[in-house]
Amino acid sequence: MKEEQVILVNEKDEPIGLMNKLEAHEKAVLHRAFSVFVLNNKNEVLLQQRAHHKYHSPLLWTNTCCSHQRAGETNLEAGKRRLFEEMGMQTELKELFHFIYKAPFDNGLTEHELDHVMIGYSNEEPNINDEEVESWKWMKIEAIKDDMLQNPDIYTVWFKIIFDEFYHYLEEHTL
């Protein structure tokens, strides 16, 4: 199987090339990514626990799904594709904002991503892909915020980074 490639970008999100995903994480090269948040009608966020065999951040809790866009794929197309691949769900998505972060992992890899954050709404239960997802749960936004303060080590690095911005977005638009 051919290794997945990521889209290398500059700080203006302009594509500058492609690189194998693992190599990009080894070299900490800036690349395009996305993070999807699905909320239900109770204003709960669908969280996933990453599968135990993932090469980084196994068994940590994070947003509904996240991944990398493929060459020729829009941000929203990528988000919808990955939401279905990981969580077995389909819903409309809306892009909220994007930002750049850099986060080294204990295994020597580094995430250096220009992350496009998206939101969708659904009340359906996911049909998880066991290769990607260990478990899932709906959680109130305030409960996530409190739990992150109490138990920061059970959440992915990127989720902790983007949740604050996501929380403020929701405060302004829904809470």
Side-chain angles (χ1 to χ4, degrees), residues 102-169:
K102 191 172 188 178
F105 296 112
D106 293 340
N107 63 4
L109 301 177
T110 300
E111 289 278 19
H112 189 195
E113 297 185 335
L114 193 148
D115 193 27
H116 294 264
V117 179
M118 303 172 205
I119 192 169
Y121 298 91
S122 178
N123 293 314
E124 69 180 272
E125 289 196 357
N127 178 20
I128 61 171
N129 174 350
D130 295 335
E131 291 297 310
E132 301 290 338
V133 181
E134 195 76 21
S135 187
W136 63 273
K137 62 184 173 184
W138 292 102
M139 204 167 168
K140 290 270 187 205
I141 294 162
E142 289 294 332
I144 296 170
K145 185 178 177 186
D146 293 343
D147 197 46
M148 269 191 195
L149 293 172
Q150 300 291 322
N151 303 294
D153 294 342
I154 69 169
Y155 294 95
T156 62
V157 171
W158 63 89
F159 185 51
K160 290 185 276 191
I161 293 169
I162 62 178
F163 185 77
D164 190 49
E165 289 189 52
F166 180 71
Y167 180 84
H168 291 302
Y169 175 88

Side-chain angles (χ1 to χ4, degrees), residues 9 25-26 54 62 67 88 91-92 104 121 140 147 152 157 161:
V9 294
H25 291 127
E26 288 169 344
K54 296 290 257 183
T62 195
S67 190
T91 189
E92 290 302 310
Y121 298 91
K140 290 270 187 205
D147 197 46
V157 171
I161 293 169

Side-chain angles (χ1 to χ4, degrees), residues 20 49 71 85 93 135:
N20 285 343
Q49 184 182 35
E85 289 172 356
L93 298 176
S135 187

